[in-house]
Amino acid sequence: MGDFSAQRSQQIRKRLDELLPESNSGISSVHEAMRYACLGEGKMVRPTLCLLVHEAAGNPNPALCLDAACAVEMVHCSSLILDDLPSMDDANLRRGQNTTHRQFGVDTAILASVGLLNLAFKVVASCKEGSADARLQIITILNSAIGSDGLIAGQEIDLALFKENEPATDIDTVNWLKTGILFASAAEIGSVAAGASPDVRQAVHRFAGHIGGAFQTIDDLIDKTESVAITGKDANKDDGKTTLVRSAGINQSKLAARRQIEQAFDELSKCNMDSTAIEAYVGKMFSRYIDD
Ligand code: GRG
């Protein structure tokens, strides 16, 4: 996605490297597995959105925002480890390398996932910058996103989509819980670190929720249409699962993603901040897939 986002990714990866425990600092390979799961070739979309929102809102607490962005990425990586397990998606490849359980075994992978989740909260709680209130708000947002009516619910419903021909939950809700909610939280956290007003926080939350919805739709599309060399993941993992791509087809899915991006930008325009960089980043994120 060019120099602009590569710079943010590098900044996030460098800080993650500092925050993660050293490989040789424990008695087991859990620390090594935590580093392996976080420091591979991830796109860092969620933490980048967090940083960009904070920058657009004046960039007052860059150290707090960077640590909070890293916490979001740790939560994301923790969820990827679980998602890939044999009892869930049973995936072999992620980010162009073995999935964490393939590399370290299921036992170590589960411990690494829990370790990342735990570390994410410690990182925000112990950050030296920002008020205690801001840190508490960030922790609360992240905690709600993960919970059994957030990411965990999304995963439960997602697994059921393999079994149900007529799913009880509509696809927008699944996409929101699986993906939208963590995008929304990441962006909102950027605004909280900047001390934004409740109105701006909510608009930013809705903006990134739409982006997450479009991202999940495109992720399902990519599962069907892109090679393993491009995605770095097992192909056709969604076969037999109800997704928008399966029920409405490729063109309708692209249209739906476009509509969500328009809704996202509409929300962003209510935030009264210079959102040029955010719009450029989002545009590049999707251009390969939705521009004809
Ligand atoms: C307790 C943290 C926790 C989670 C439990 C397992 C689970 C519930 C949720 C998994 C949710 C999940 C994996 C959703 C898929 C989201 C998605 C689109 C992943 C791919 O994201 P990218 O493309 O991946 O940003 P990279 O590798 O670039 O980071």
Side-chain angles (χ1 to χ4, degrees), residues 105-210:
V106 169
D107 46 1
T108 302
I110 293 172
L111 294 174
S113 173
V114 177
L116 285 173
L117 212 49
N118 190 46
L119 180 59
F121 290 102
K122 179 186 163 194
V123 161
V124 180
S126 59
C127 184
K128 297 277 180 286
E129 192 176 76
S131 66
D133 185 50
R135 282 180 273 129
L136 183 60
Q137 288 184 47
I138 291 169
I139 287 170
T140 306
I141 294 168
L142 204 48
N143 178 270
S144 310
I146 297 165
S148 52
D149 45 10
L151 262 187
I152 291 172
Q155 182 73 356
E156 188 185 12
I157 300 167
D158 187 68
L159 292 171
L161 293 181
F162 282 105
K163 300 173 205 143
E164 298 165 347
N165 275 336
E166 304 253 331
T169 315
D170 68 89
I171 290 167
D172 280 348
T173 306
V174 181
N175 288 355
W176 161 249
L177 291 170
K178 266 177 69 180
T179 305
I181 202 164
L182 196 53
F183 272 67
S185 302
E188 188 181 355
I189 285 169
S191 71
V192 168
S197 70
D199 282 355
V200 169
R201 277 179 58 170
Q202 282 160 22
V204 161
H205 182 94
R206 287 192 297 268
F207 148 73
H210 286 305

Side-chain angles (χ1 to χ4, degrees), residues 44-290:
M44 309 276 177
V45 175
R46 297 153 192 81
T48 300
L49 275 176
C50 179
L51 293 187
L52 290 178
V53 166
H54 182 259
E55 286 168 28
N59 208 28
N61 289 304
L64 171 64
C65 189
L66 182 57
D67 282 5
C70 288
V72 171
E73 183 65 12
M74 286 176 195
V75 166
H76 169 59
C77 295
S78 165
S79 81
L80 295 181
I81 296 174
L82 295 182
D83 185 48
D84 289 337
L85 288 174
S87 59
M88 301 233 187
D89 266 12
D90 194 14
N92 295 315
L93 199 65
R94 166 81 65 187
R95 298 176 167 178
Q97 59 182 13
N98 282 338
T99 48
T100 307
H101 69 272
R102 278 257 153 197
Q103 189 72 13
F104 294 91
V106 169
D107 46 1
T108 302
I110 293 172
L111 294 174
S113 173
V114 177
L116 285 173
L117 212 49
N118 190 46
L119 180 59
F121 290 102
K122 179 186 163 194
V123 161
V124 180
S126 59
C127 184
K128 297 277 180 286
E129 192 176 76
S131 66
D133 185 50
R135 282 180 273 129
L136 183 60
Q137 288 184 47
I138 291 169
I139 287 170
T140 306
I141 294 168
L142 204 48
N143 178 270
S144 310
I146 297 165
S148 52
D149 45 10
L151 262 187
I152 291 172
Q155 182 73 356
E156 188 185 12
I157 300 167
D158 187 68
L159 292 171
L161 293 181
F162 282 105
K163 300 173 205 143
E164 298 165 347
N165 275 336
E166 304 253 331
T169 315
D170 68 89
I171 290 167
D172 280 348
T173 306
V174 181
N175 288 355
W176 161 249
L177 291 170
K178 266 177 69 180
T179 305
I181 202 164
L182 196 53
F183 272 67
S185 302
E188 188 181 355
I189 285 169
S191 71
V192 168
S197 70
D199 282 355
V200 169
R201 277 179 58 170
Q202 282 160 22
V204 161
H205 182 94
R206 287 192 297 268
F207 148 73
H210 286 305
I211 296 298
F215 191 87
Q216 184 57 58
T217 299
I218 298 301
D219 194 67
D220 293 338
L221 185 79
I222 290 170
D223 181 77
K224 277 261 149 297
T225 56
E226 289 284 13
S227 68
V228 174
I230 296 279
T231 64
K233 298 195 276 189
D234 301 333
N236 301 315
K237 285 308 274 180
D238 291 343
D239 281 3
K241 179 161 94 176
T242 307
T243 64
L244 189 63
V245 178
R246 186 175 175 213
S247 60
I250 289 178
N251 288 338
Q252 285 303 318
S253 299
K254 285 185 180 182
L255 263 180
R258 266 191 218 124
R259 252 194 320 267
Q260 288 222 289
I261 295 163
E262 276 165 25
Q263 286 172 301
F265 285 161
D266 192 38
E267 292 295 345
L268 198 56
S269 70
K270 297 174 190 163
C271 296
N272 232 343
M273 51 192 192
D274 178 4
S275 47
T276 318
I278 303 175
E279 285 182 26
Y281 180 65
V282 170
K284 275 188 183 161
M285 191 194 299
F286 289 106
S287 62
R288 175 183 168 90
Y289 302 106
I290 62 170

